[in-house]
């Protein structure tokens, strides 16, 4: 029998809710048997059972900086490549994750 994963990362909180439901249906306990992490954060993620660990992506601020960079390039002439790295993603550890088994 193949070893099952001890954790998964899903693309958003709704996918995490589905993963939690599927885990429970399979008889797995979150986070004891399976850790779940979602990318992005929404207000109710902290209120799930267990509270969901997320990677918070500061999309609004990154979008604001990206638009400012484009407008600056349009105003100053030739476009240049610019990577928006700030603010960085933030891991918010909550109750849906646990260290891997022994």
């Amino acid at each position: 029998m193949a070893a099952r994963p001890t954790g998964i990362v899903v693309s958003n909180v709704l996918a995490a809710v589905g993963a939690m439901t599927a885990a429970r249906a399979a008889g797995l306990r979150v986070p004891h048997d399976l850790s779940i992490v979602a990318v992005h954060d929404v207000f109710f993620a902290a209120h799930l059972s267990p509270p969901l660990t997320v990677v918070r992506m500061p999309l609004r601020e990154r979008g604001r900086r990206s638009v400012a960079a484009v407008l600056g390039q349009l105003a100053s002439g030739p476009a240049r490549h610019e990577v928006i790295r700030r603010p960085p993603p933030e891991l918010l550890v909550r109750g849906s994750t646990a260290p891997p088994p022994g």
Side-chain angles (χ1 to χ4, degrees):
M1 182 172 154
R4 65 169 178 76
T6 60
I8 59 171
V9 177
V10 297
S11 61
N12 58 57
V13 173
L14 290 179
V17 170
M20 287 176 158
T21 302
R24 287 186 187 116
L28 299 174
R29 298 168 299 153
V30 176
H32 301 93
D33 301 316
L34 182 68
S35 291
I36 299 177
V37 177
V39 177
H40 302 299
D41 191 18
V42 295
F43 72 94
F44 65 86
H47 303 286
L48 294 173
S49 180
L52 183 62
T53 295
V54 298
V55 178
R56 180 178 285 163
M57 303 291 289
L59 298 179
R60 178 171 285 155
E61 179 61 18
R62 284 182 171 212
R64 187 193 67 72
R65 289 179 184 217
S66 296
V67 169
V70 169
L71 292 175
Q73 289 175 11
L74 290 172
S76 66
R80 64 186 191 286
H81 179 71
E82 185 171 338
V83 177
I84 307 297
R85 291 190 175 100
R86 297 282 182 228
E90 176 186 4
L91 178 64
L92 297 176
V93 178
R94 297 181 179 134
S96 68
T97 54

Coordinates of all heavy atoms in Angstrom, one line a residue:
M1 N 0.8 -1.2 0.0 CA 0.0 0.0 0.0 C 0.9 1.2 0.0 O 1.8 1.3 0.8 CB -0.9 0.0 1.2 CG -1.8 1.1 1.3 SD -3.0 0.9 2.7 CE -3.4 2.5 3.1
A2 N 0.6 2.2 -0.8 CA 1.3 3.4 -0.9 C 1.1 4.3 0.3 O 0.0 4.3 0.9 CB 0.9 4.2 -2.2
A3 N 2.1 5.0 0.7 CA 2.0 5.9 1.9 C 1.1 7.1 1.5 O 1.2 7.6 0.4 CB 3.4 6.4 2.3
R4 N 0.2 7.4 2.3 CA -0.7 8.6 2.0 C 0.0 9.9 2.4 O 0.9 9.9 3.3 CB -2.0 8.4 2.7 CG -2.0 8.5 4.2 CD -3.3 8.6 4.9 NE -3.2 8.6 6.3 CZ -2.8 9.7 7.0 NH1 -2.5 10.8 6.4 NH2 -2.7 9.6 8.3
P5 N -0.3 11.0 1.8 CA 0.3 12.3 2.2 C -0.2 12.6 3.6 O -1.2 12.2 4.1 CB -0.3 13.2 1.2 CG -1.5 12.6 0.6 CD -1.3 11.1 0.8
T6 N 0.7 13.4 4.3 CA 0.3 13.9 5.6 C -0.1 15.3 5.6 O -0.6 15.9 6.6 CB 1.5 13.8 6.6 OG1 2.6 14.6 6.0 CG2 2.0 12.3 6.7
G7 N -0.1 16.0 4.4 CA -0.5 17.3 4.3 C -0.8 17.7 2.8 O -0.2 17.1 1.9
I8 N -1.7 18.7 2.6 CA -1.9 19.2 1.3 C -2.1 20.7 1.3 O -2.4 21.3 2.4 CB -3.2 18.6 0.7 CG1 -4.4 18.9 1.5 CG2 -3.1 17.1 0.4 CD1 -5.7 18.5 0.9
V9 N -1.7 21.3 0.2 CA -1.9 22.8 0.0 C -2.9 22.9 -1.1 O -2.7 22.3 -2.2 CB -0.6 23.5 -0.3 CG1 -0.8 24.9 -0.6 CG2 0.4 23.3 0.8
V10 N -4.0 23.7 -0.9 CA -5.0 23.9 -1.9 C -5.0 25.3 -2.3 O -4.5 26.2 -1.6 CB -6.4 23.4 -1.4 CG1 -6.4 21.9 -1.1 CG2 -6.8 24.2 -0.1
S11 N -5.7 25.6 -3.4 CA -5.6 26.9 -4.0 C -6.4 28.0 -3.4 O -6.1 29.2 -3.6 CB -6.0 26.8 -5.5 OG -7.3 26.4 -5.6
N12 N -7.4 27.6 -2.6 CA -8.2 28.7 -1.9 C -9.0 28.1 -0.7 O -9.0 26.8 -0.5 CB -9.2 29.4 -2.9 CG -10.1 28.4 -3.6 OD1 -10.8 27.7 -2.9 ND2 -10.0 28.3 -4.9
V13 N -9.7 28.9 0.0 CA -10.4 28.5 1.2 C -11.5 27.5 0.9 O -11.8 26.5 1.6 CB -10.8 29.7 2.1 CG1 -11.7 29.2 3.2 CG2 -9.6 30.4 2.6
L14 N -12.2 27.8 -0.2 CA -13.4 26.9 -0.5 C -12.9 25.5 -0.9 O -13.5 24.5 -0.5 CB -14.2 27.5 -1.7 CG -15.0 28.7 -1.3 CD1 -15.8 29.2 -2.5 CD2 -15.9 28.4 -0.1
A15 N -11.7 25.4 -1.6 CA -11.1 24.1 -1.8 C -10.7 23.4 -0.5 O -10.8 22.2 -0.4 CB -9.9 24.2 -2.8
A16 N -10.2 24.2 0.4 CA -9.8 23.6 1.7 C -11.1 23.1 2.5 O -11.0 22.0 3.1 CB -9.2 24.7 2.6
V17 N -12.2 23.8 2.4 CA -13.4 23.3 3.0 C -13.8 21.9 2.4 O -14.1 21.0 3.1 CB -14.6 24.3 2.9 CG1 -15.9 23.7 3.3 CG2 -14.3 25.5 3.7
G18 N -13.7 21.8 1.0 CA -13.9 20.6 0.4 C -13.0 19.5 0.8 O -13.3 18.3 1.0
A19 N -11.7 19.8 0.9 CA -10.7 18.9 1.4 C -10.9 18.4 2.8 O -10.8 17.2 3.1 CB -9.3 19.5 1.2
M20 N -11.3 19.3 3.6 CA -11.7 18.9 5.0 C -12.9 18.0 5.0 O -12.9 17.0 5.8 CB -12.0 20.2 5.9 CG -10.8 21.0 6.2 SD -11.4 22.5 7.1 CE -9.9 22.9 8.0
T21 N -13.9 18.3 4.2 CA -15.1 17.4 4.2 C -14.7 16.0 3.6 O -15.1 15.0 4.2 CB -16.1 18.1 3.3 OG1 -16.5 19.3 3.8 CG2 -17.4 17.2 3.1
A22 N -13.9 16.0 2.6 CA -13.5 14.7 2.0 C -12.6 13.9 3.0 O -12.7 12.7 3.1 CB -12.7 14.9 0.7
A23 N -11.7 14.6 3.7 CA -10.9 13.9 4.7 C -11.8 13.3 5.8 O -11.5 12.1 6.2 CB -9.9 14.9 5.3
R24 N -12.7 14.0 6.3 CA -13.6 13.5 7.3 C -14.4 12.3 6.8 O -14.6 11.3 7.5 CB -14.5 14.6 7.8 CG -13.8 15.6 8.7 CD -14.8 16.6 9.3 NE -14.1 17.6 10.0 CZ -14.1 18.9 9.7 NH1 -14.8 19.3 8.7 NH2 -13.4 19.8 10.4
A25 N -14.9 12.4 5.5 CA -15.6 11.3 4.9 C -14.7 10.0 4.8 O -15.3 8.9 4.9 CB -16.2 11.7 3.6
A26 N -13.4 10.2 4.7 CA -12.5 9.1 4.5 C -12.0 8.6 5.9 O -11.2 7.7 6.0 CB -11.3 9.5 3.7
G27 N -12.5 9.2 7.0 CA -12.2 8.8 8.3 C -10.9 9.4 8.8 O -10.3 9.0 9.8
L28 N -10.4 10.5 8.1 CA -9.2 11.2 8.6 C -9.5 12.4 9.4 O -10.5 13.0 9.2 CB -8.4 11.7 7.3 CG -7.9 10.6 6.4 CD1 -7.3 11.2 5.1 CD2 -7.0 9.6 7.0
R29 N -8.6 12.6 10.4 CA -8.8 13.7 11.3 C -7.8 14.9 10.9 O -6.7 14.6 10.7 CB -8.5 13.3 12.8 CG -9.4 12.3 13.3 CD -8.9 11.7 14.6 NE -7.6 11.0 14.3 CZ -6.7 10.9 15.3 NH1 -6.9 11.3 16.5 NH2 -5.5 10.3 14.9
V30 N -8.4 16.1 10.8 CA -7.6 17.2 10.5 C -7.3 18.0 11.8 O -8.3 18.3 12.5 CB -8.3 18.2 9.5 CG1 -7.5 19.4 9.2 CG2 -8.6 17.4 8.2
P31 N -6.1 18.2 12.2 CA -4.8 18.0 11.5 C -4.1 16.7 11.9 O -3.0 16.5 11.5 CB -4.0 19.2 11.9 CG -4.4 19.3 13.4 CD -5.9 19.0 13.4
H32 N -4.7 15.9 12.8 CA -3.9 14.7 13.3 C -3.5 13.7 12.2 O -2.3 13.3 12.2 CB -4.8 13.9 14.3 CG -5.2 14.8 15.5 ND1 -6.4 15.5 15.5 CD2 -4.6 15.1 16.6 CE1 -6.5 16.2 16.6 NE2 -5.4 16.0 17.3
D33 N -4.3 13.5 11.2 CA -4.0 12.6 10.1 C -3.6 13.3 8.8 O -2.9 12.8 8.0 CB -5.2 11.7 9.8 CG -5.6 10.8 11.0 OD1 -4.7 10.3 11.7 OD2 -6.8 10.7 11.2
L34 N -4.1 14.5 8.7 CA -3.9 15.3 7.4 C -3.9 16.8 7.7 O -4.9 17.3 8.3 CB -5.0 15.0 6.4 CG -4.8 15.6 5.0 CD1 -3.6 15.1 4.3 CD2 -6.1 15.5 4.2
S35 N -2.8 17.4 7.4 CA -2.7 18.9 7.5 C -3.2 19.5 6.2 O -3.0 19.0 5.2 CB -1.3 19.4 7.8 OG -0.9 19.0 9.1
I36 N -3.9 20.6 6.4 CA -4.5 21.3 5.2 C -4.1 22.8 5.3 O -4.3 23.5 6.3 CB -6.0 21.2 5.1 CG1 -6.3 19.7 4.9 CG2 -6.6 22.0 3.9 CD1 -7.8 19.4 4.9
V37 N -3.6 23.3 4.2 CA -3.2 24.8 4.1 C -3.9 25.3 2.8 O -3.8 24.7 1.8 CB -1.7 24.9 4.0 CG1 -1.3 26.4 3.8 CG2 -1.0 24.4 5.2
A38 N -4.4 26.5 2.9 CA -5.0 27.2 1.7 C -4.2 28.4 1.4 O -3.6 29.1 2.2 CB -6.4 27.6 2.0
V39 N -4.1 28.7 0.1 CA -3.5 29.9 -0.4 C -4.7 31.0 -0.4 O -5.8 30.7 -0.9 CB -2.9 29.7 -1.8 CG1 -2.4 31.1 -2.3 CG2 -1.8 28.7 -1.7
H40 N -4.4 32.1 0.1 CA -5.3 33.2 0.3 C -6.0 33.1 1.7 O -5.9 32.1 2.3 CB -6.3 33.4 -0.8 CG -5.7 33.6 -2.2 ND1 -4.9 34.6 -2.5 CD2 -5.7 32.8 -3.3 CE1 -4.4 34.5 -3.7 NE2 -4.9 33.4 -4.2
D41 N -6.6 34.1 2.1 CA -7.3 34.2 3.4 C -8.6 34.9 3.2 O -8.7 35.9 2.4 CB -6.4 34.9 4.4 CG -6.9 34.8 5.8 OD1 -7.7 33.9 6.1 OD2 -6.5 35.6 6.7
V42 N -9.6 34.4 3.8 CA -10.9 35.1 3.9 C -11.4 35.2 5.3 O -10.9 34.4 6.2 CB -12.0 34.4 3.0 CG1 -11.6 34.5 1.6 CG2 -12.2 33.0 3.4
F43 N -12.3 36.0 5.7 CA -12.7 36.3 7.0 C -13.1 35.0 7.8 O -12.9 34.9 9.0 CB -13.8 37.4 7.1 CG -15.1 36.9 6.7 CD1 -16.0 36.4 7.6 CD2 -15.5 37.0 5.3 CE1 -17.3 36.0 7.2 CE2 -16.7 36.6 4.9 CZ -17.6 36.1 5.8
F44 N -13.7 34.1 7.1 CA -14.3 32.9 7.9 C -13.3 31.8 8.0 O -13.5 30.8 8.8 CB -15.6 32.4 7.3 CG -15.4 31.8 5.9 CD1 -15.1 30.5 5.7 CD2 -15.7 32.6 4.8 CE1 -15.0 30.0 4.4 CE2 -15.6 32.1 3.5 CZ -15.2 30.8 3.3
A45 N -12.1 31.9 7.4 CA -11.1 30.8 7.5 C -10.7 30.5 9.0 O -10.5 29.4 9.3 CB -9.9 31.1 6.6
A46 N -10.6 31.6 9.7 CA -10.2 31.4 11.1 C -11.3 30.9 12.0 O -11.0 30.5 13.1 CB -9.8 32.8 11.7
H47 N -12.5 30.8 11.5 CA -13.6 30.3 12.2 C -14.1 28.9 11.8 O -15.1 28.4 12.3 CB -14.8 31.3 12.1 CG -14.4 32.7 12.5 ND1 -14.2 33.0 13.9 CD2 -14.1 33.8 11.8 CE1 -13.8 34.3 13.9 NE2 -13.7 34.7 12.7
L48 N -13.4 28.3 10.9 CA -13.7 26.9 10.5 C -13.3 26.0 11.7 O -12.6 26.4 12.6 CB -13.0 26.5 9.2 CG -13.4 27.3 8.0 CD1 -12.5 26.9 6.8 CD2 -14.8 26.9 7.6
S49 N -13.7 24.7 11.6 CA -13.3 23.7 12.6 C -12.6 22.6 12.0 O -13.2 21.8 11.2 CB -14.6 23.2 13.3 OG -14.2 22.3 14.3
P50 N -11.3 22.5 12.2 CA -10.4 23.5 12.9 C -10.1 24.7 12.1 O -10.3 24.7 10.9 CB -9.1 22.6 13.1 CG -9.1 21.8 11.9 CD -10.5 21.4 11.6
P51 N -9.7 25.8 12.8 CA -9.3 27.0 12.1 C -8.3 26.7 11.0 O -7.3 25.9 11.2 CB -8.8 27.9 13.2 CG -9.4 27.4 14.4 CD -9.5 25.9 14.2
L52 N -8.4 27.3 9.8 CA -7.6 27.0 8.7 C -6.3 27.7 8.6 O -6.3 29.0 8.7 CB -8.5 27.2 7.4 CG -7.8 26.9 6.1 CD1 -7.6 25.4 6.0 CD2 -8.7 27.3 4.9
T53 N -5.2 27.0 8.4 CA -3.9 27.6 8.2 C -3.9 28.1 6.8 O -4.4 27.4 5.8 CB -2.8 26.6 8.4 OG1 -2.8 26.2 9.7 CG2 -1.5 27.2 8.0
V54 N -3.5 29.4 6.6 CA -3.5 30.0 5.2 C -2.2 30.7 4.9 O -1.4 31.0 5.8 CB -4.7 31.0 5.1 CG1 -6.0 30.3 5.3 CG2 -4.5 32.2 6.0
V55 N -2.0 30.9 3.6 CA -0.9 31.7 3.1 C -1.6 33.0 2.7 O -2.4 33.0 1.7 CB -0.1 31.1 2.0 CG1 0.9 32.1 1.5 CG2 0.5 29.8 2.4
R56 N -1.5 34.1 3.4 CA -2.1 35.3 3.1 C -1.3 36.0 2.0 O -0.1 36.3 2.1 CB -2.2 36.2 4.3 CG -2.9 37.6 4.0 CD -3.0 38.4 5.3 NE -4.1 37.9 6.1 CZ -4.2 38.2 7.4 NH1 -3.4 39.1 8.0 NH2 -5.2 37.7 8.1
M57 N -2.0 36.3 0.9 CA -1.4 37.0 -0.2 C -2.0 38.4 -0.2 O -3.2 38.6 -0.4 CB -1.8 36.3 -1.5 CG -1.4 34.8 -1.5 SD 0.3 34.6 -1.6 CE 0.7 35.1 -3.3
P58 N -1.1 39.4 0.0 CA -1.6 40.8 0.0 C -1.9 41.3 -1.4 O -1.2 42.1 -2.0 CB -0.4 41.5 0.7 CG 0.8 40.7 0.3 CD 0.3 39.3 0.3
L59 N -2.9 40.8 -2.0 CA -3.2 41.0 -3.4 C -3.5 42.5 -3.7 O -3.1 43.0 -4.7 CB -4.3 40.1 -3.9 CG -4.0 38.6 -3.9 CD1 -5.2 37.8 -4.3 CD2 -2.8 38.3 -4.7
R60 N -4.3 43.1 -2.8 CA -4.7 44.5 -3.1 C -3.4 45.4 -3.1 O -3.3 46.2 -4.0 CB -5.6 45.0 -2.0 CG -6.0 46.4 -2.2 CD -7.1 46.8 -1.2 NE -8.3 46.3 -1.8 CZ -9.4 46.0 -1.1 NH1 -9.5 46.2 0.2 NH2 -10.5 45.4 -1.7
E61 N -2.5 45.2 -2.2 CA -1.3 46.0 -2.1 C -0.4 45.7 -3.3 O 0.1 46.6 -3.9 CB -0.6 45.8 -0.8 CG 0.7 46.6 -0.7 CD 0.5 48.1 -0.8 OE1 -0.6 48.6 -0.6 OE2 1.5 48.8 -1.1
R62 N -0.3 44.4 -3.7 CA 0.5 44.1 -4.8 C -0.1 44.7 -6.1 O 0.6 45.2 -7.0 CB 0.6 42.6 -5.0 CG 1.6 42.0 -4.0 CD 1.8 40.5 -4.1 NE 2.8 40.0 -3.3 CZ 3.6 39.0 -3.6 NH1 3.4 38.4 -4.8 NH2 4.6 38.7 -2.8
G63 N -1.4 44.6 -6.2 CA -2.1 45.2 -7.4 C -1.9 46.7 -7.4 O -1.6 47.3 -8.5
R64 N -2.0 47.4 -6.3 CA -1.8 48.8 -6.2 C -0.4 49.2 -6.7 O -0.2 50.1 -7.5 CB -2.0 49.4 -4.8 CG -2.0 50.9 -4.7 CD -1.9 51.3 -3.3 NE -0.6 51.0 -2.6 CZ 0.6 51.6 -2.9 NH1 0.7 52.5 -3.8 NH2 1.6 51.2 -2.2
R65 N 0.6 48.4 -6.2 CA 2.0 48.7 -6.6 C 2.2 48.4 -8.1 O 3.0 49.1 -8.7 CB 3.0 47.9 -5.7 CG 3.0 48.4 -4.3 CD 4.0 47.5 -3.5 NE 4.0 48.0 -2.1 CZ 5.0 48.0 -1.3 NH1 6.2 47.6 -1.8 NH2 4.9 48.4 -0.1
S66 N 1.6 47.4 -8.6 CA 1.7 47.0 -10.0 C 1.2 48.1 -10.9 O 1.8 48.5 -11.9 CB 1.0 45.7 -10.3 OG 1.7 44.6 -9.6
V67 N 0.0 48.6 -10.6 CA -0.6 49.7 -11.3 C 0.2 50.9 -11.3 O 0.5 51.6 -12.3 CB -2.1 50.0 -10.9 CG1 -2.6 51.2 -11.5 CG2 -3.0 48.8 -11.2
A68 N 0.8 51.3 -10.1 CA 1.6 52.4 -10.0 C 2.9 52.3 -10.8 O 3.3 53.2 -11.5 CB 2.0 52.6 -8.5
A69 N 3.4 51.0 -10.9 CA 4.6 50.8 -11.7 C 4.3 51.0 -13.2 O 5.1 51.6 -13.9 CB 5.2 49.4 -11.4
V70 N 3.2 50.5 -13.6 CA 2.8 50.6 -15.0 C 2.5 52.1 -15.4 O 3.0 52.6 -16.4 CB 1.5 49.8 -15.3 CG1 0.9 50.1 -16.7 CG2 1.9 48.3 -15.3
L71 N 1.8 52.8 -14.5 CA 1.6 54.2 -14.8 C 2.9 55.0 -14.8 O 3.1 55.9 -15.6 CB 0.6 54.8 -13.7 CG -0.8 54.2 -13.8 CD1 -1.6 54.8 -12.6 CD2 -1.5 54.6 -15.1
G72 N 3.8 54.7 -13.9 CA 5.1 55.3 -13.9 C 5.9 55.0 -15.2 O 6.5 55.9 -15.7
Q73 N 5.8 53.8 -15.7 CA 6.5 53.5 -16.9 C 5.9 54.2 -18.1 O 6.6 54.7 -19.0 CB 6.5 52.0 -17.1 CG 7.4 51.2 -16.2 CD 7.3 49.7 -16.3 OE1 6.7 49.2 -17.3 NE2 7.9 49.0 -15.4
L74 N 4.6 54.3 -18.1 CA 3.9 55.0 -19.2 C 4.2 56.5 -19.2 O 4.4 57.1 -20.3 CB 2.4 54.8 -19.1 CG 1.8 53.4 -19.4 CD1 0.3 53.4 -19.0 CD2 2.1 53.0 -20.8
A75 N 4.4 57.1 -18.0 CA 4.7 58.5 -17.9 C 6.2 58.8 -18.3 O 6.5 59.9 -18.7 CB 4.4 59.0 -16.5
S76 N 7.1 57.8 -18.1 CA 8.5 58.1 -18.2 C 9.1 57.5 -19.5 O 10.3 57.6 -19.7 CB 9.3 57.5 -17.0 OG 9.2 56.1 -17.0
G77 N 8.3 57.0 -20.4 CA 8.9 56.5 -21.6 C 9.0 55.0 -21.7 O 8.0 54.3 -21.4
P78 N 10.1 54.5 -22.2 CA 10.2 53.0 -22.5 C 9.9 52.2 -21.3 O 10.4 52.5 -20.2 CB 11.6 52.8 -23.0 CG 12.2 54.2 -23.2 CD 11.3 55.2 -22.5
A79 N 9.2 51.1 -21.5 CA 8.9 50.2 -20.4 C 10.2 49.4 -19.9 O 11.0 49.1 -20.7 CB 7.8 49.2 -20.8
R80 N 10.2 49.2 -18.7 CA 11.3 48.4 -18.1 C 10.7 47.3 -17.3 O 9.5 47.4 -16.8 CB 12.3 49.2 -17.3 CG 11.6 49.8 -16.0 CD 12.6 50.8 -15.3 NE 12.1 51.1 -14.0 CZ 11.1 52.0 -13.8 NH1 10.5 52.5 -14.8 NH2 10.7 52.3 -12.6
H81 N 11.4 46.2 -17.2 CA 10.8 45.1 -16.4 C 11.0 45.4 -14.9 O 12.0 45.8 -14.4 CB 11.6 43.8 -16.7 CG 11.2 42.6 -16.0 ND1 10.0 42.0 -16.2 CD2 11.7 41.9 -15.0 CE1 9.8 41.0 -15.4 NE2 10.9 40.9 -14.6
E82 N 9.9 45.2 -14.2 CA 9.9 45.4 -12.7 C 9.1 44.3 -12.1 O 8.0 44.0 -12.5 CB 9.3 46.8 -12.4 CG 9.4 47.1 -10.9 CD 8.9 48.6 -10.7 OE1 8.9 49.4 -11.6 OE2 8.6 48.8 -9.5
V83 N 9.7 43.7 -11.0 CA 9.1 42.6 -10.3 C 8.5 43.2 -9.0 O 9.3 43.8 -8.3 CB 10.0 41.5 -10.0 CG1 9.4 40.4 -9.2 CG2 10.5 40.9 -11.3
I84 N 7.3 43.0 -8.7 CA 6.7 43.4 -7.5 C 6.8 42.3 -6.4 O 6.2 41.3 -6.6 CB 5.2 43.8 -7.7 CG1 5.0 44.8 -8.8 CG2 4.6 44.3 -6.4 CD1 5.7 46.2 -8.6
R85 N 7.6 42.5 -5.4 CA 7.9 41.5 -4.4 C 7.3 41.8 -3.1 O 7.4 41.0 -2.2 CB 9.3 41.2 -4.3 CG 9.9 40.5 -5.5 CD 11.3 40.0 -5.3 NE 11.8 39.3 -6.4 CZ 12.7 39.8 -7.3 NH1 13.1 41.0 -7.2 NH2 13.1 39.0 -8.3
R86 N 6.9 43.0 -2.9 CA 6.5 43.5 -1.6 C 5.1 43.9 -1.6 O 4.6 44.5 -2.6 CB 7.4 44.7 -1.1 CG 8.8 44.3 -0.9 CD 9.0 43.5 0.4 NE 10.4 43.2 0.5 CZ 10.8 42.0 0.9 NH1 10.0 41.0 1.0 NH2 12.1 41.8 1.0
P87 N 4.3 43.7 -0.6 CA 4.7 42.9 0.6 C 4.7 41.4 0.3 O 3.9 41.0 -0.6 CB 3.6 43.3 1.6 CG 2.4 43.7 0.8 CD 3.0 44.3 -0.4
P88 N 5.5 40.6 1.0 CA 5.6 39.2 0.8 C 4.4 38.5 1.3 O 3.7 39.0 2.2 CB 6.8 38.8 1.5 CG 6.9 39.8 2.6 CD 6.4 41.1 2.1
P89 N 4.1 37.3 0.8 CA 3.1 36.4 1.4 C 3.4 36.2 2.9 O 4.5 36.2 3.3 CB 3.2 35.1 0.6 CG 3.9 35.5 -0.6 CD 4.8 36.6 -0.3
E90 N 2.3 35.9 3.7 CA 2.5 35.6 5.1 C 1.8 34.3 5.5 O 0.6 34.1 5.1 CB 1.8 36.8 5.8 CG 1.8 36.7 7.3 CD 1.0 37.8 8.0 OE1 0.4 38.6 7.3 OE2 1.0 37.8 9.2
L91 N 2.5 33.4 6.1 CA 1.9 32.2 6.6 C 1.2 32.4 7.9 O 1.8 32.9 8.9 CB 3.0 31.1 6.8 CG 2.5 29.8 7.3 CD1 1.5 29.1 6.3 CD2 3.7 28.8 7.6
L92 N -0.1 32.1 8.0 CA -0.8 32.2 9.3 C -1.2 30.8 9.7 O -2.1 30.2 9.2 CB -2.1 33.0 9.0 CG -2.0 34.5 8.6 CD1 -3.4 35.1 8.3 CD2 -1.2 35.3 9.6
V93 N -0.4 30.4 10.7 CA -0.6 29.0 11.2 C -1.7 29.0 12.2 O -1.8 29.7 13.2 CB 0.7 28.5 11.9 CG1 0.5 27.1 12.4 CG2 1.9 28.5 10.9
R94 N -2.7 28.1 11.9 CA -3.9 27.9 12.7 C -4.0 26.4 13.0 O -3.1 25.7 12.9 CB -5.1 28.5 12.0 CG -5.0 30.0 11.8 CD -6.2 30.6 11.1 NE -6.2 32.0 10.9 CZ -6.5 32.6 9.8 NH1 -7.0 31.9 8.8 NH2 -6.4 33.9 9.7
G95 N -5.2 26.0 13.3 CA -5.4 24.7 13.8 C -5.5 23.5 12.8 O -5.6 22.4 13.1
S96 N -5.4 23.8 11.5 CA -5.6 22.8 10.5 C -4.2 22.1 10.1 O -4.2 21.3 9.2 CB -6.2 23.3 9.2 OG -5.4 24.2 8.5
T97 N -3.1 22.5 10.8 CA -1.8 21.9 10.5 C -1.2 21.4 11.8 O -1.4 21.9 12.9 CB -0.9 22.9 9.8 OG1 -0.8 24.1 10.6 CG2 -1.4 23.3 8.4
A98 N -0.4 20.4 11.6 CA 0.4 19.8 12.7 C 1.7 19.3 12.1 O 1.8 19.1 10.9 CB -0.4 18.6 13.3
P99 N 2.7 19.1 13.0 CA 4.0 18.5 12.5 C 3.7 17.2 11.9 O 2.8 16.4 12.3 CB 4.8 18.4 13.8 CG 4.2 19.4 14.7 CD 2.7 19.4 14.4
P100 N 4.5 16.8 10.9 CA 4.4 15.4 10.3 C 4.6 14.3 11.4 O 5.3 14.6 12.3 CB 5.4 15.4 9.2 CG 6.3 16.5 9.4 CD 5.6 17.5 10.3
P101 N 4.0 13.2 11.2 CA 4.2 12.1 12.2 C 5.6 11.7 12.2 O 6.3 11.7 11.2 CB 3.3 11.0 11.7 CG 2.9 11.4 10.3 CD 3.1 12.8 10.1
G102 N 6.0 11.3 13.4 CA 7.3 10.8 13.8 C 8.3 10.4 13.0 O 9.4 10.2 13.0

